[in-house]
Amino acid sequence: NNYMKNAVELIGRIARDLSKKFIIYGIEDENSYKMASNIDCQMLQGNYFSKIMSEEEFKNYLTGRK
């Protein structure tokens, strides 16, 4: 919604003005991804990119093993 978008944009603007990087958590779908991408955020996290995984699953993911 617009309230959330405006709040995230404001936080992003403050972070950039302070020369700070910020992460947007909770990117769950394409709409969230597009909104965050338009804000010029450097780091995004959420199930849109990958489901939550254990340490072992993550190691396998990094090495290409199943």
Side-chain angles (χ1 to χ4, degrees):
N1 66 33
N2 273 346
Y3 176 77
M4 184 62 70
K5 181 178 182 275
N6 290 339
V8 172
E9 286 176 346
L10 177 60
I11 292 167
R13 219 173 9 258
I14 292 168
R16 280 190 299 281
D17 288 349
L18 296 172
S19 299
K20 301 292 181 183
K21 292 183 180 181
F22 61 101
I23 301 171
I24 297 179
Y25 291 96
I27 305 298
E28 304 298 324
D29 55 32
E30 188 171 354
N31 288 334
S32 299
Y33 173 72
K34 286 179 180 178
M35 182 187 75
S37 296
N38 290 334
I39 296 171
D40 190 31
C41 178
Q42 300 86 5
M43 295 174 275
L44 308 172
Q45 185 276 329
N47 286 338
Y48 180 71
F49 305 105
S50 176
K51 67 176 182 68
I52 296 172
M53 58 182 84
S54 68
E55 180 180 352
E56 187 65 28
E57 289 172 312
F58 183 66
K59 287 178 185 177
N60 291 338
Y61 173 80
L62 289 178
T63 60
R65 288 183 261 152
K66 292 190 178 199

